[in-house]
């Protein structure tokens, strides 16, 4: 309900009469607050006008209605949320006096005047205070949808999902809390000084997750995907995911478990992912906990991407069923308002390319972030407040009240199931120890930790309640605690009695040496022609933009004329993969058209505004094509696509940067997931990063995708890094990535000026035959290699600048290195050996000397040349900024680089030791 019209307005008769006439003609034409007022007046016999009833009674009715609205809106301020006893702030709006009436006046107003069926306003207010100021703090009135507000209000006020637990359920909760608390106490005794980031103080998280899984299963879910940070993770791994006590104790003993089988270095136990399952009502529900780094909240979009991939169901609308997979995301109270990836991920939640049908969010609220108090950690009252900007309902619960915690989960699950939207539960508790178990929290929060140390555990609080309610007695509570302790002790003793796995003395397991990927089967020219024709065929009545239609029509002749450009080659690669049964998903800022208007994968009808996606309608496709313009976000979107790729191992998943320079906004996804996931967690991803890169006078932020940073991350065959120099090369590497089963990420530097450069165009036979070539020798000098004195290695963009300036110089050969990692050492050595009279070798690049590939390739080139040739660097000098900000300065520097690369040193130089 809205707020009643203010009392200063209520008795302005002319204004009321005008509003009443509008109400009589159409109730929807006036605000909800006026509709309430007129309904109240009608129920009191006034026909909707003030003159027909006692004005005093009408004033009391208006005050009572305003109080009812205030309780619904501000009741959460009166809920005792802090288990440590901090009183709730309350609010004057929750008193009758604030609205010009008294408690006694409420008994004079019939409930029917407020829209309730029986009793008086006093009965209504009493009930609503119990609901909104009792065990759960509800924040619902900020929702923009009246349907959602009405459903939630009715569910809350009728107690549909907040019924008390049965005696049996209460005992089950006590058992769960005893297991949770028992494990933490046992680990604390057996592994003193070890970090475990204990759950103690918010123990109710585990029974809340239990309930969320049950409710998800009852609503049709067959998988639950969970993302969380380190706090409480060990308990979740064991008691929610199903990791055995034996395996967890082995982690503390330094014995890698099943979660680390494919990893080389491994990771700490409180970062591990896990897959388990649970049977609910004879239905198996798969459980997946995404592995995560210490970078708080960065796992959120990864988890969402995993969920989206698993929601794909054959035969469902849009190929997905959002009910079959439910995402649960667990946050920290300091990180939720503090980390920017949180709102970025919320912003994805209702977008067509990223929605997952709603995520249930649980904030594990310790009321402190490491050593930082809330007053220094956020500018909002609640940790959960950022979520309200996305019209998400919020519930606050006291972590010591297990019954309220479970009731909140039941309502959250029902809301998600009905409205397919996110919902937040703020679990207000405390952290029994420091940030980790080796910290002394009293150094920085002495008064807080006086309260914590004097406070009983959540298990003790719940057990005492059950004893008071005579559900159990003290002896039964103790017996349950002893039972759990004995089980833990027995498992631990048995584990200690087992011989530890023999060590090879090498520490982390060795990774396989980098290997080149196997080339996929060739695609026949006739098949490519068929795909091309299909992609240029539009539905009857569809009217694309005239200029764009003319541009795309050139692709019809390009196959015969040898003018296949980048966007064209990409479309053919995607089409061939789709016919092979390999799905393709591409997203990024402006990805549908392409930053440089080279793709145009989504066509717009200029007459109707409708869209048509040729690749999605390819007749021979045996898999799904998806392409989406992303929001203006790098971290969340790349994280989402990374997560999607891990759960869709047979699909080609790509993320495209608007400019490659912007990729570093998502650096945590690159450093913590893409480059290190297999080494840490044995997790595999085939994500492709498309990063426009090249120096064309665009300035420091529109030139470099920071190639050097990716090369620095390369090791243990963890990814591929390439810079294709032709559309055919791009075609082949996409095909290779899509068909290769041993997936690893692929980082592609992408062209800008080359997208339509005639010299870079490819012929049909180059796509239909052959395969990706990591190194491309200079075909122009193949017949006169003996004349060559200088061998210039470069990558795609600079190669064409060098080619245009070389002219007829017979003494210089230009060789392209299209794949930088795995380093094509043997191919490079073979190229060097093919030139018998070399005097020096040049690595030429556009980037500054401390950037680009130079520091990576220099030692590799020494090996390729056998340390028998001078290796020279040609490029920009070391710089703090990657590129010039002025076009004139760029042109001068670019010209110098080209000239220096093409000008051999004085004749007569001999083969000698490499000089770098």
């Amino acid at each position: 309900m809205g707020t009643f019209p203010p009392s200063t307005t209520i008795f302005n008769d002319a204004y009321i009469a005008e509003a009443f006439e509008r109400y009589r003609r159409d109730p929807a034409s006036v605000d909800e607050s006026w509709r309430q007022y007129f309904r109240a007046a009608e129920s009191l016999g006034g026909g909707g006008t003030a003159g027909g009833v006692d004005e005093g009674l009408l004033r009391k009715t208006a005050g009572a209605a305003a109080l009812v609205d205030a309780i619904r809106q501000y009741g959460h301020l009166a809920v005792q949320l802090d288990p440590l006893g901090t009183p709730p702030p309350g609010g004057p709006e929750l008193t009758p006096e604030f609205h010009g009436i008294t408690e006694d006046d409420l008994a004079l107003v019939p409930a029917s005047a407020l829209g309730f069926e029986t009793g008086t306003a006093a009965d209504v207010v009493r009930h609503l205070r119990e609901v909104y100021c009792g065990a759960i703090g509800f924040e619902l009135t900020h929702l923009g949808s009246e349907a959602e507000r009405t459903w939630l209000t009715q569910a809350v006020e009728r107690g549909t999902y907040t019924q008390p637990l049965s005696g049996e359920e209460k005992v089950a909760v006590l058992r769960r809390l005893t297991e949770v608390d028992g494990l933490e106490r046992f680990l604390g005794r057996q592994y003193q000084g070890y970090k475990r980031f204990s759950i103690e103080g918010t123990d109710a998280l585990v029974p809340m997750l239990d309930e969320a899984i049950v409710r998800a299963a009852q609503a049709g879910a067959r998988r639950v995907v969970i993302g969380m940070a380190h706090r409480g993770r060990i308990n979740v791994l064991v008691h929610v995911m199903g990791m055995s006590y034996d395996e967890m104790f082995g982690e503390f003993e330094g014995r890698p478990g099943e979660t680390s089988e494919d990893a080389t270095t491994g990771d700490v136990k409180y970062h591990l992912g896990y897959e388990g399952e649970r049977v609910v009502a004879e239905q198996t529900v798969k459980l997946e906990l995404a592995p995560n780094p210490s970078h708080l909240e960065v796992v959120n979009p990864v988890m969402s991407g995993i969920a989206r991939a698993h929601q794909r169901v054959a035969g469902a609308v849009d190929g997905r069923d959002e009910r079959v997979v439910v995402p649960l995301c667990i946050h920290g109270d300091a990180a939720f308002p503090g980390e920017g990836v949180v709102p970025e991920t919320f912003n994805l939640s209702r977008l067509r390319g990223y929605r997952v049908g709603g995520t249930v969010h649980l904030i594990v609220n310790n009321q402190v972030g490491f050593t930082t108090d809330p007053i220094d950690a956020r500018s909002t009252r609640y940790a959960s407040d950022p979520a309200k900007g996305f019209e998400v309902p919020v519930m606050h619960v006291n972590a010591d009240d297990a019954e309220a915690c479970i009731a909140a989960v039941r309502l959250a699950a029902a809301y998600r199931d009905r409205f397919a939207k996110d919902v937040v539960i703020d679990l207000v508790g405390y952290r029994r120890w420091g940030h980790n178990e080796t910290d002394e929290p009293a150094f920085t929060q002495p008064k807080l930790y006086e309260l914590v140390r004097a406070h009983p555990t959540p298990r003790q609080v719940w057990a005492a309640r059950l004893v008071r309610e005579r559900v159990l007695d003290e002896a039964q509570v103790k017996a349950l605690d002893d039972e759990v302790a004995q089980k833990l002790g027995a498992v631990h003793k048995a584990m200690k009695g087992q011989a530890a796995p023999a060590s090879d003395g090498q520490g982390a397991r060795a990774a396989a040496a980098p290997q080149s990927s196997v080339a996929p089967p060739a695609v026949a020219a006739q098949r490519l022609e068929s795909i091309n024709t299909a992609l240029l065929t539009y539905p009857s009545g569809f009217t694309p933009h005239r200029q764009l239609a003319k541009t795309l029509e050139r692709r019809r002749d390009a196959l015969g004329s040898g003018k296949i450009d980048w966007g064209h080659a990409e479309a053919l690669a995607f089409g061939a993969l789709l016919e092979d049964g390999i799905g393709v998903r591409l997203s990024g800022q402006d990805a549908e058209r392409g930053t440089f208007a080279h793709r145009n994968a989504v066509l717009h009808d200029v007459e109707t505004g409708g869209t048509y996606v040729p690749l999605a309608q390819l007749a021979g496709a045996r898999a799904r094509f998806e392409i989406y313009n992303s929001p203006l976000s790098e971290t969340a979107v790349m994280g989402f696509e990374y997560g999607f790729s891990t759960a869709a191992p047979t699909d080609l998943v790509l993320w495209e940067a608007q400019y490659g320079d912007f990729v570093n906004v998502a650096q945590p996804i690159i450093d913590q997931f893409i480059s290190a996931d297999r080494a840490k967690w044995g997790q595999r991803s085939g994500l492709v990063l498309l990063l426009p890169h090249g120096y064309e006078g665009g300035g420091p932020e529109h030139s470099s995708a920071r190639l050097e940073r990716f090369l620095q991350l390369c090791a243990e065959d963890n990814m591929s890094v390439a810079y294709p120099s032709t559309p055919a090369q791009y075609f082949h590497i996409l095909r290779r990535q899509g068909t290769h089963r041993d997936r690893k990420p692929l980082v592609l530097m992408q062209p800008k000026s080359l997208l339509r450069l005639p010299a870079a165009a490819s012929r049909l036979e180059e796509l239909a035959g052959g395969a990706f070539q990591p190194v491309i020798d200079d075909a122009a000098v193949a017949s006169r290699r003996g004349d060559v004195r200088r061998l210039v290695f470069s990558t795609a963009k600079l190669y064409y600048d060098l080619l245009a300036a070389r002219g007829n110089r017979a003494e210089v050969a230009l060789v392209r290195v299209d794949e930088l990692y795995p380093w094509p050492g043997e191919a490079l050595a073979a190229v060097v050996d093919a030139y018998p009279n070399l005097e020096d070798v040049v690595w030429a690049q556009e980037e500054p000397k401390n950037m680009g590939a130079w520091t990576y390739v220099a030692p590799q080139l020494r090996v390729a040349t056998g340390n028998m040739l001078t290796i020279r660097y040609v490029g920009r000098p070391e710089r703090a900024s990657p590129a010039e900000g002025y076009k004139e300065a760029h042109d001068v520097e670019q010209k110098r680089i080209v000239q220096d690369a093409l000008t051999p040193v004085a004749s007569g130089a001999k083969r000698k030791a490499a000089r770098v």
Side-chain angles (χ1 to χ4, degrees):
M1 291 185 180
T3 303
F4 244 64
S7 58
T8 54
T9 303
I10 287 179
F11 298 103
N12 182 328
D13 290 340
Y15 187 82
I16 289 178
E18 179 185 349
F20 182 61
E21 283 303 312
R22 294 200 306 272
Y23 169 77
R24 277 202 314 147
R25 290 192 299 269
D26 178 12
S29 67
V30 298
D31 185 76
E32 172 62 17
S33 59
W34 279 110
R35 293 199 294 271
Q36 290 181 50
Y37 169 70
F38 291 130
R39 285 196 296 266
E42 288 171 341
S43 72
L44 295 173
T49 64
V53 296
D54 180 280
E55 289 188 1
L57 180 57
L58 190 57
R59 188 184 297 276
K60 292 178 176 64
T61 301
L67 177 59
V68 165
D69 286 341
I71 292 171
R72 287 170 168 152
Q73 185 167 2
Y74 302 113
H76 58 89
L77 297 175
V79 178
Q80 179 59 54
L81 293 175
D82 184 5
L84 301 177
T86 304
E93 299 89 346
L94 299 175
T95 65
E97 289 74 18
F98 182 86
H99 305 283
I101 59 174
T102 67
E103 289 283 353
D104 292 339
D105 291 335
L106 295 172
L108 303 176
V109 178
S112 59
L114 304 177
F116 291 81
E117 294 181 359
T118 60
T120 67
D123 300 315
V124 171
V125 168
R126 186 181 307 109
H127 171 65
L128 294 184
R129 282 173 175 163
E130 291 174 356
V131 169
Y132 290 100
C133 306
I136 303 176
F138 296 99
E139 290 192 89
L140 312 175
T141 57
H142 59 279
L143 298 177
S145 165
E146 184 174 356
E148 291 178 35
R149 292 195 309 272
T150 300
W151 183 88
L152 282 164
T153 299
Q154 291 177 351
V156 168
E157 294 177 12
R158 293 172 181 173
T160 309
Y161 302 99
T162 54
Q163 294 298 313
L165 299 176
S166 67
E168 184 179 348
E169 289 173 325
K170 290 177 179 179
V171 173
V173 170
L174 178 61
R175 171 173 287 278
R176 205 54 157 158
L177 291 176
T178 303
E179 292 169 341
V180 169
D181 183 57
L183 177 61
E184 296 291 357
R185 285 183 287 145
F186 186 85
L187 292 174
R189 292 192 303 270
Q190 295 295 330
Y191 299 101
Q192 293 183 26
Y194 283 67
K195 294 180 182 179
R196 66 181 193 276
F197 297 98
S198 155
I199 200 173
E200 292 164 281
T202 51
D203 307 44
L205 175 65
V206 169
M208 291 173 79
L209 291 175
D210 289 338
E211 186 67 22
I213 293 167
V214 168
R215 293 286 164 159
Q218 290 172 349
R222 296 299 171 257
R223 182 182 293 266
V224 173
V225 181
I226 303 173
M228 69 180 299
H230 45 273
R231 176 72 54 203
R233 192 181 187 94
I234 286 175
N235 233 298
V236 170
L237 279 166
V238 173
H239 291 126
V240 177
M241 301 305 301
M243 177 185 281
S244 68
Y245 289 138
D246 181 81
E247 186 175 353
M248 179 54 70
F249 294 151
E251 290 288 341
F252 277 89
E253 296 286 339
R255 305 177 184 181
E258 295 178 1
T259 57
S260 309
E261 280 185 353
D262 296 330
T264 55
T265 59
D267 200 354
V268 292
K269 62 192 76 66
Y270 38 81
H271 287 171
L272 298 178
Y274 202 85
E275 293 188 9
E277 60 183 36
R278 186 178 294 192
V279 177
V280 178
E282 300 184 353
Q283 179 66 51
T284 299
V285 180
K286 295 186 179 300
L287 306 177
E288 182 172 353
L289 176 63
N292 73 288
S294 288
H295 295 58
L296 298 175
E297 307 291 340
V298 78
V299 75
N300 302 0
V302 174
M303 175 216 63
S304 296
I306 293 171
R308 171 93 176 196
H310 285 310
Q311 287 174 342
R312 296 177 301 170
V313 176
V317 177
D318 293 329
R320 294 188 312 111
D321 185 346
E322 293 175 344
R323 290 194 175 192
V324 301
V325 181
V326 173
L328 302 177
C329 196
I330 303 166
H331 310 267
D333 57 308
F336 192 86
E339 295 289 353
V341 71
V342 174
E344 279 192 39
T345 308
F346 267 97
N347 191 48
L348 298 180
S349 65
R350 297 172 71 185
L351 303 181
R352 62 189 180 93
Y354 309 92
R355 58 171 294 132
V356 291
T359 297
V360 177
H361 300 266
L362 299 169
I363 299 176
V364 177
N365 192 335
N366 300 308
Q367 305 189 71
V368 63
F370 207 148
T371 65
T372 302
D373 292 317
I375 194 172
D376 295 315
R378 63 177 185 262
S379 296
T380 58
R381 177 187 296 276
Y382 294 118
S384 56
D385 280 347
K388 293 198 291 186
F390 297 92
E391 297 190 12
V392 172
V394 178
M395 289 170 275
H396 307 274
V397 287
N398 185 319
D400 271 359
D401 188 345
E403 187 169 57
C405 293
I406 291 171
V409 170
R410 289 175 175 174
L411 178 59
Y415 173 83
R416 190 262 180 194
D417 183 53
R418 184 176 182 89
F419 295 103
K421 282 183 59 182
D422 289 29
V423 58
V424 173
I425 300 174
D426 179 19
L427 177 65
V428 183
Y430 56 88
R431 188 187 66 199
R432 183 155 291 278
W433 313 109
H435 176 65
N436 62 65
E437 287 68 28
T438 65
D439 276 348
E440 176 44 74
F443 288 172
T444 51
Q445 278 80 28
K447 302 306 291 181
L448 173 64
Y449 274 85
E450 280 184 13
L451 296 174
V452 170
R453 285 166 180 159
H455 191 71
T457 66
R459 178 191 68 87
Q460 291 169 329
V461 171
W462 185 247
R465 174 173 167 176
L466 298 198
V467 171
R468 287 196 308 272
E469 295 176 354
R470 298 186 177 181
V471 176
L472 294 175
D473 58 32
E474 294 281 3
Q476 290 171 306
V477 170
K478 185 179 185 304
L480 183 56
D481 192 31
D482 291 343
E483 176 190 335
V484 170
Q486 289 168 8
K487 180 179 179 180
L488 290 165
V491 173
H492 186 261
K493 182 178 179 180
M495 184 275 304
K496 293 289 281 187
Q498 298 170 359
S503 171
D504 59 7
Q506 300 298 313
R509 289 190 288 277
Q515 298 180 7
S516 297
S517 299
V518 178
V523 183
Q526 185 178 4
R527 184 177 163 202
L528 291 175
E529 290 170 346
S530 175
I531 293 171
N532 194 55
T533 299
L535 297 182
L536 296 174
T537 303
Y538 311 135
S540 175
F542 186 85
T543 310
H545 191 282
R546 184 173 59 181
Q547 183 178 344
L548 178 57
K550 184 178 179 181
T551 299
L552 292 175
E553 190 61 26
R554 296 191 190 116
R555 293 184 177 180
R556 198 178 299 276
D557 300 326
L559 297 189
S561 64
K563 296 179 180 179
I564 300 173
D565 63 21
W566 241 270
H568 192 183
E570 179 188 80
L572 293 173
F574 288 165
L577 288 170
L578 293 168
E579 288 189 344
D580 290 339
I582 297 165
V584 177
R585 176 184 167 91
L586 167 62
S587 83
Q589 294 160 29
D590 313 297
E592 293 179 0
R593 189 201 74 167
T595 301
F596 310 101
H598 67 289
R599 179 172 295 120
N600 295 299
V602 178
L603 305 179
H604 296 259
D605 191 315
V606 296
E607 300 294 337
T608 67
T611 60
Y612 178 69
V613 184
L615 281 163
Q617 305 300 324
L618 192 62
R622 295 189 292 114
R624 181 179 172 84
F625 177 77
E626 299 179 71
I627 186 167
Y628 299 103
N629 286 338
S630 78
L632 200 62
S633 159
E634 287 80 24
T635 304
V637 177
M638 186 192 293
F640 186 99
E641 300 303 346
Y642 167 83
F644 192 102
S645 72
T646 65
T650 60
D651 286 20
L652 179 67
V653 183
L654 309 96
W655 176 83
E656 183 173 64
Q658 190 181 66
Y659 281 84
D661 310 66
F662 306 150
V663 71
N664 58 11
V665 179
Q667 204 67 43
I669 305 298
I670 297 166
D671 292 348
Q672 272 57 55
F673 290 96
I674 291 174
S675 68
D677 57 352
R678 190 176 300 195
K680 293 190 294 187
W681 312 311
Q683 181 160 279
R684 296 167 183 262
S685 162
L687 182 64
V688 180
L689 303 185
L690 303 179
L691 310 178
H693 174 89
Y695 283 56
E696 293 153 354
E701 274 74 54
H702 292 81
S703 298
S704 175
R706 299 289 185 169
L707 173 62
E708 65 278 359
R709 293 181 179 170
F710 289 99
L711 293 173
Q712 187 183 45
L713 293 170
C714 290
E716 300 182 298
D717 199 25
N718 63 334
M719 66 174 87
S720 296
V721 178
Y723 195 172
S725 59
T726 69
Q729 285 281 85
Y730 182 43
F731 171 90
H732 289 305
I733 203 167
L734 288 177
R735 292 263 308 147
R736 187 186 80 179
Q737 182 73 3
T739 58
H740 195 47
R741 295 301 87 185
D742 183 22
R743 291 299 184 88
K744 58 185 177 181
L746 171 62
V747 179
L748 290 181
M749 300 294 114
Q750 288 285 90
K752 293 177 285 186
S753 61
L754 303 190
L755 290 170
R756 299 176 183 84
L757 184 71
S762 294
R763 303 185 307 276
L764 175 60
E765 54 267 31
E766 292 175 321
L767 274 66
F772 180 78
Q773 302 175 66
V775 179
I776 302 178
D777 198 359
D778 193 339
V781 301
S783 62
R784 46 186 173 83
R785 288 194 175 101
D787 298 335
V788 173
R789 298 293 181 268
R790 167 168 281 194
L791 196 58
V792 180
F793 290 104
S794 68
T795 52
K797 159 64 172 52
L798 185 57
Y799 163 78
Y800 290 100
D801 293 347
L802 294 168
L803 183 65
R806 179 176 64 175
N808 295 322
R809 299 183 192 184
E811 70 277 15
V812 179
L814 305 176
V815 178
R816 286 166 277 172
V817 181
D818 276 24
E819 186 166 40
L820 292 153
Y821 188 84
W823 177 251
E826 292 183 5
L828 276 164
V831 168
V832 173
D833 290 343
Y835 294 88
N837 298 316
L838 290 179
E839 295 176 354
D840 66 357
V841 170
V842 167
W843 177 263
Q845 66 178 40
E846 301 177 296
E847 302 90 345
K849 190 174 184 179
N850 58 319
M851 304 177 194
W854 168 245
T855 56
Y856 166 78
V857 304
Q860 311 272 18
L861 285 174
R862 285 201 296 271
V863 174
T865 60
N867 278 326
M868 296 301 292
L869 287 171
T870 299
I871 300 174
R872 302 182 185 278
Y873 167 81
V874 174
R876 285 171 169 78
E878 291 185 351
R879 287 182 175 166
S881 177
E884 299 83 10
Y886 296 96
K887 183 64 164 60
E888 296 79 5
H890 161 81
D891 290 341
V892 169
E893 190 68 347
Q894 202 75 4
K895 183 177 180 181
R896 178 195 66 77
I897 292 171
V898 171
Q899 288 178 340
D900 288 355
L902 296 175
T903 305
V905 294
S907 60
K910 303 296 183 183
R911 288 177 180 258
K912 50 191 170 181
R915 184 171 74 248
V916 177

